[in-house]
Amino acid sequence: MTALQHVKMGTYYVVHMPEPDDFAFWRERARQLVQCDVPPDRVAWVEPGGNGSLFSHGDKRLPVPDDATRMIRASKRFLSIAKNVAHHSDPERFSLLYAMLWRLQSNPRLMEDKADSQVRRLEDMDKSVRRDAHKMHAFVRFRMVEDEAGNQQYVAWFEPDHHIVRREAGFFVRRFANMHWSILTPRGCIHWDGETLRESGPAQKSDAPQGDPAEDLWRKYYASIFNPARLKIGAMLKEMPRKYWKNMPEAALIPELVAGAQKRESEMVDAGALEYEDRPETLAAIDKAIHACRKCPIGLLDNQAVMGEGADDAPLMIVGEQPGDQEDQAGKPFVGPAGQVLNAALEVAGIERKQTYVTNAVKHFKYVQRGKRRLHQSPTAKEIDVCRWWHEAERAIVKPKVVLALGASAARAMLGKTVSISKARGEPMMLDDGSELWVTAHPSYLLRLSGDAKAEQERLFAADLAAVKERLAELVE
Ligand code: URA
């Protein structure tokens, strides 16, 4: 029997989804059904755990299209919304998507019709899924647990509204690449051991730890970054619904901070504190905003933020680790001893520093005080990751063709994971904005060496800069 005969006979089809969020599976089946002209009212989409028995009369074997190459119309906008909607918790999502795909065949511009109730419903679902993902990024709080062997593991409890846990795993892997962690949710769990991501079934809140000593620190930190001048209670409740408070140690402080907000606001205004909210879109705005940044505790030290410097359309962006003592005093990057090494090597390679944009992965100088001296301390992976916000904003404005990361911290800042310099150097990588990332040693490392080791590292550093110069010549005609 041909597909058309099947459909004419009024056959009713049932598609059992293997996973609640399997967009690729839905797309394959939907394509096949449209190619066989099966209208939406002849298909039931049943998600795992859904009531398949209601459709026991339906045929699970889908018809085979007579012409599997027949073009299916689906606008880009539909596809991008559909990918999100597939994660929504509404049991009707796959039917709705199919109904829309069906209608797109005769009206390819349907998604532009803002008055269409199905279009509006899909757009609302899309927004709700994106919002849920944003909440997960912002409100997951890990608590440390130790097993009997003393191994540390971080566990978080989160209650998503939609099927987003698997989809958002990549975000947490990139952010917390070096930690061993689990995120437990009633919709399934994900676990990362530093190398492999694993999934397991739904969990209950009682499976997750309920608090640890580190929470006191979180609370102190939150109190120090809380900006009373930005207190808008309505907006805060909208952005951070009470539902999430119970999992967030800092939330316990909210009533107290709100009560003291007015007093602190006037103190902060007196102190000239600045605010930031959306990612700034000019270098001057970034410069202003980084001075108020307290996204990590380094900004609480006695230091100033150091902004990148150079041509705002430079084809080469050079990224160091963080300002040193001299840079902190001057308010400019790479002006101390490491800067001298960098300048000399750039000159040998024939790269004019003025034509580049030089910045740092971390904007504030991290140090420990020893008598009168401030000794450099490396930023932690978390501090580097938090500061990505700023150099990504700089990169979005400068739009370099090549980014040169100096040392492991800068490489981590660009990649979101730790790489070894010896392995990464000479192997350019593509960043998500299409620029090329080159990795080399940090000039301070060369300063710490002596003898043959120093000579060898200087040779490698010079070779890396020469290769970058050559690549720039190819990319910038
Ligand atoms: N080291 C860096 O990484 N950056 C500077 O600006 C100075 C020293």
Side-chain angles (χ1 to χ4, degrees):
M1 206 184 316
T2 67
L4 195 60
Q5 282 167 325
H6 253 280
V7 175
K8 279 200 180 131
M9 279 178 58
T11 312
Y12 193 83
Y13 297 98
V14 185
V15 184
H16 285 271
M17 297 295 297
E19 299 286 346
D21 57 353
D22 196 340
F23 175 72
F25 183 90
W26 173 85
R27 185 168 59 181
E28 278 299 300
R29 302 304 176 283
R31 188 184 166 77
Q32 186 176 344
L33 288 161
V34 171
Q35 282 173 333
C36 293
D37 296 312
V38 180
D41 60 359
R42 296 273 188 83
V43 193
W45 300 86
V46 182
E47 61 178 325
N51 198 346
S53 60
L54 281 179
F55 308 103
S56 51
H57 60 290
D59 196 337
K60 289 191 199 110
R61 286 160 310 158
L62 300 192
V64 179
D66 299 329
D67 176 8
T69 59
R70 190 177 122 197
M71 280 277 289
I72 298 296
R73 292 171 147 174
S75 59
K76 266 197 190 149
R77 171 139 182 81
F78 170 72
L79 282 177
S80 102
I81 287 189
K83 278 185 195 151
N84 279 336
V85 170
H87 295 267
H88 201 279
S89 51
D90 188 331
E92 285 181 18
R93 63 195 174 284
F94 294 114
S95 307
L96 181 63
L97 285 172
Y98 185 64
M100 185 56 75
L101 182 65
W102 177 260
R103 293 176 64 205
L104 279 167
Q105 304 316 300
S106 55
N107 180 2
R109 305 186 65 170
L110 179 59
M111 290 302 290
E112 291 162 33
D113 183 355
K114 300 289 170 208
D116 185 278
S117 62
Q118 282 189 331
V119 171
R120 283 217 308 272
R121 192 163 157 212
L122 282 181
E123 285 181 342
D124 286 349
M125 290 164 92
D126 168 54
K127 209 192 267 169
S128 174
V129 169
R130 283 189 285 120
R131 191 172 154 81
D132 202 27
H134 168 74
K135 299 261 178 284
M136 184 170 178
H137 294 182
F139 301 146
V140 158
R141 291 289 178 274
F142 289 102
R143 292 170 159 106
M144 203 245 285
V145 287
E146 247 175 43
D147 66 16
E148 278 153 19
N151 300 317
Q152 292 181 348
Q153 164 92 11
Y154 291 84
V155 182
W157 170 251
F158 186 72
E159 291 168 49
D161 291 333
H162 305 297
H163 302 286
I164 56 164
V165 177
R166 181 182 298 135
R167 188 179 84 154
E168 298 312 317
F171 171 87
F172 291 94
V173 167
R174 285 192 297 280
R175 277 283 183 277
F176 304 107
N178 295 329
M179 281 164 47
H180 292 201
W181 51 257
S182 294
I183 301 178
L184 313 185
T185 92
R187 293 181 187 273
C189 308
I190 45 175
H191 314 267
W192 173 250
D193 64 5
E195 280 176 10
T196 316
L197 187 70
R198 213 165 40 77
E199 289 177 18
S200 63
Q204 296 178 354
K205 185 160 171 43
S206 55
D207 298 330
Q210 298 304 312
D212 71 12
E215 295 198 347
D216 250 10
L217 271 176
W218 263 105
R219 275 196 276 267
K220 278 197 189 119
Y221 172 56
Y222 182 72
S224 76
I225 61 165
F226 177 78
N227 183 347
R230 293 208 17 227
L231 180 63
K232 294 185 190 95
I233 296 177
M236 184 170 94
L237 282 174
K238 189 159 158 258
E239 279 310 308
M240 197 203 284
R242 281 184 200 276
K243 156 179 166 191
Y244 300 105
W245 288 24
K246 55 187 182 299
N247 302 319
M248 300 172 65
E250 65 270 35
L253 288 174
I254 290 174
E256 190 188 315
L257 289 170
V258 168
Q262 255 189 339
K263 181 165 171 281
R264 289 200 59 209
E265 177 176 356
S266 48
E267 284 166 9
M268 285 182 72
V269 170
D270 291 347
L274 301 164
E275 329 172 349
Y276 57 84
E277 194 159 37
D278 297 327
R279 185 132 77 183
E281 284 174 4
T282 64
L283 292 175
I286 298 174
D287 192 4
K288 189 171 166 197
I290 57 175
H291 285 81
C293 180
R294 299 294 180 267
K295 282 172 182 278
C296 82
I298 308 180
L300 298 174
L301 296 170
D302 186 12
N303 52 19
Q304 64 169 320
V306 176
M307 178 62 184
E309 174 187 71
D312 62 6
D313 58 351
L316 173 61
M317 178 161 161
I318 301 175
V319 186
E321 180 193 71
Q322 60 168 346
D325 187 42
Q326 295 195 26
E327 286 78 16
D328 179 50
Q329 289 175 40
K332 285 176 179 297
F334 281 105
V335 292
Q340 310 297 322
V341 175
L342 176 65
N343 289 347
L346 286 174
E347 200 176 329
V348 171
I351 300 174
E352 255 204 82
R353 178 164 164 169
K354 275 205 298 257
Q355 310 279 313
T356 70
Y357 183 85
V358 179
T359 193
N360 281 301
V362 171
K363 300 299 177 209
H364 284 92
F365 173 40
K366 181 175 177 186
Y367 63 89
V368 277
Q369 193 80 43
R370 288 277 177 275
K372 287 199 173 147
R373 296 181 61 209
R374 301 191 299 173
L375 301 185
H376 163 275
Q377 284 223 297
S378 299
T380 61
K382 190 167 176 189
E383 287 156 354
I384 294 171
D385 293 347
V386 163
C387 222
R388 282 177 83 159
W389 171 260
W390 299 122
H391 59 77
E392 281 180 357
E394 289 175 284
R395 184 149 56 92
I397 294 165
V398 177
K399 297 193 176 55
K401 298 218 177 316
V402 173
V403 177
L404 176 63
L406 305 177
S409 296
R412 183 189 167 93
M414 305 315 301
L415 292 166
K417 63 176 185 185
T418 302
V419 290
S420 114
I421 301 297
S422 56
K423 288 201 188 118
R425 74 183 335 156
E427 300 283 345
M429 286 161 267
M430 175 83 86
L431 293 176
D432 47 15
D433 61 356
S435 56
E436 262 177 35
L437 173 68
W438 290 65
V439 173
T440 187
H442 194 285
S444 305
Y445 172 60
L446 307 186
L447 283 171
R448 290 197 298 273
L449 298 172
S450 59
D452 289 350
K454 185 180 180 81
E456 173 61 2
Q457 285 302 323
E458 282 175 348
R459 186 185 68 72
L460 291 172
F461 190 59
D464 287 340
L465 292 196
V468 165
K469 163 80 180 167
E470 206 175 303
R471 183 65 181 137
L472 279 169
E474 282 167 11
L475 292 172
V476 187
E477 307 273 288

